[in-house]
Amino acid sequence: EKPTDRADAINMLSALSGQVHEVITGVCILSKQKQVSFSDTTRVYFNILTLNEIEHYVDNYKPYDKAGGYACQEWIGAIAINKFEGDYFNVVGLPINKVYQMLKNFPL
């Protein structure tokens, strides 16, 4: 979910601090001849964050339009995320490599 306000964003990021979570994206590709649906999962490993770091992010970036209250391509990704298992682009929004591989052999 996306945070509803400052307190919710701080709570979300506090819950992610020092934890591992999964980002799952569902994709459906459809043409007149064929339909393919799949999902992709990426595990995201967060460092432990201080309250000051969390508040800095919430107050200086825009967490309210982001699932989980963060964007890994922003400042918080550089200081908080220490490892991805899976496709980075899946966390950003779409598992581009997997979509491309499916589209290469997809009838249009």
Side-chain angles (χ1 to χ4, degrees):
E1 294 184 22
K2 298 174 183 176
T4 56
D5 57 24
R6 183 178 189 272
D8 195 27
I10 290 169
N11 286 337
M12 282 185 176
L13 292 170
S14 295
L16 293 172
S17 175
Q19 301 297 312
V20 177
H21 67 280
E22 292 183 337
V23 175
I24 303 169
T25 303
V27 178
C28 179
I29 302 171
L30 178 68
S31 74
K32 290 181 180 180
Q33 296 84 18
K34 186 177 179 181
Q35 175 179 326
V36 174
S37 298
F38 61 90
S39 64
D40 196 39
T41 302
T42 303
R43 293 175 57 87
V44 182
Y45 292 74
F46 260 68
N47 294 321
I48 295 172
L49 299 169
T50 66
L51 181 57
N52 285 341
E53 290 168 330
I54 291 169
E55 288 175 340
H56 172 79
Y57 180 73
V58 170
D59 293 340
N60 292 285
Y61 294 84
K62 295 179 173 57
Y64 309 109
D65 64 342
K66 296 166 178 70
Y70 76 94
C72 62
Q73 66 272 29
E74 294 178 338
W75 174 82
I76 200 158
I79 63 105
I81 298 171
N82 65 47
K83 182 168 76 169
F84 295 95
E85 285 180 359
D87 188 346
Y88 165 83
F89 292 103
N90 184 48
V91 181
V92 174
L94 188 67
I96 297 168
N97 185 278
K98 203 168 194 177
V99 170
Y100 179 75
Q101 296 306 317
M102 292 286 189
L103 285 174
K104 282 175 37 176
N105 298 312
F106 199 82
L108 298 177

